[in-house]
Amino acid sequence: MADQTTFIAFLRAVNVGGRTVTMERLRALFGELGLAAVRTYIQSGNVFFSADSGVDRAALTRRIEAHLSQALGYQVPTVLRTVDELAAVLAADPFHEVEITPEVRLCVVFLSEPPPADLALPLRSPKGDLEVIAVTPGEAFVVARRLAGRAPANPATVFGRTYRGHGTSRFFHTAAKILAAARKG
């Protein structure tokens, strides 16, 4: 039997905007793809599963997205990370100098494609509610601020329409909880 790796599927558009799917159904859908040890974490589209270590990740992502789209009737952009990759994201912690206030949320956006090559940091949204303070080839670290009592825009949209990939965001502290749950496997 090939070595197995635990993957975390970060799903976008699950249980938001009237698109509801139970975690039981989500686990079943991943099981239908032949993935092993399928588990979910909270209702926001975080799925753990095992697959062969040498699996073609891009092909697996396309299979998951196609299956979810067919079964649910809408697109579910998916970004895969291994447990070790998520641990490295959290260890990078570019937020250590950000002052935390009730208006500030720290977010990591998991990207399907690298961020724009000419990205100048920090990148601020026109309204000033989002600020990208660091990037890796697979993530953007975003400080989201409530302005005048209003929630910030979705951090996953920070690069605008010119970005050729997609992203899905999680609060930084939630990403740490996701990692801990994935490790419990």
Side-chain angles (χ1 to χ4, degrees), residues 32-179:
E32 290 170 6
L33 290 167
L35 302 171
V38 178
R39 299 179 294 130
T40 54
Y41 179 76
I42 62 178
Q43 299 292 315
S44 59
N46 308 292
V47 182
F48 313 135
F49 63 90
S50 295
D52 291 343
S53 296
V55 68
D56 179 331
R57 192 183 305 202
L60 178 57
T61 300
R62 287 189 301 272
R63 276 185 49 220
I64 292 169
E65 289 176 336
H67 188 62
L68 293 176
S69 176
Q70 186 276 329
L72 300 175
Y74 56 88
Q75 298 295 311
V76 182
T78 302
V79 178
L80 299 181
R81 296 291 182 267
T82 67
V83 170
D84 289 344
E85 289 167 347
L86 181 55
V89 166
L90 294 168
D93 188 7
F95 298 117
H96 62 277
E97 293 184 13
V98 175
E99 180 182 353
I100 304 301
T101 69
E103 291 78 30
V104 169
R105 303 289 183 268
L106 307 178
C107 304
V108 59
V109 180
F110 297 96
L111 304 172
S112 65
E113 300 292 332
D118 59 350
L119 187 66
L121 297 178
L123 170 68
R124 290 183 183 86
S125 65
K127 291 182 183 177
D129 57 343
L130 301 175
E131 179 182 13
V132 179
I133 63 168
V135 295
T136 69
E139 290 81 27
F141 297 90
V142 180
V143 177
R145 292 183 174 83
R146 293 180 62 86
L147 300 177
R150 292 180 174 232
N154 179 349
T157 64
V158 72
F159 297 129
R161 297 182 190 266
T162 60
Y163 176 60
R164 63 186 178 114
H166 60 263
T168 185
S169 65
R170 301 295 185 272
F171 291 128
F172 195 70
H173 69 277
T174 302
K177 292 177 183 178
I178 292 168
L179 176 62

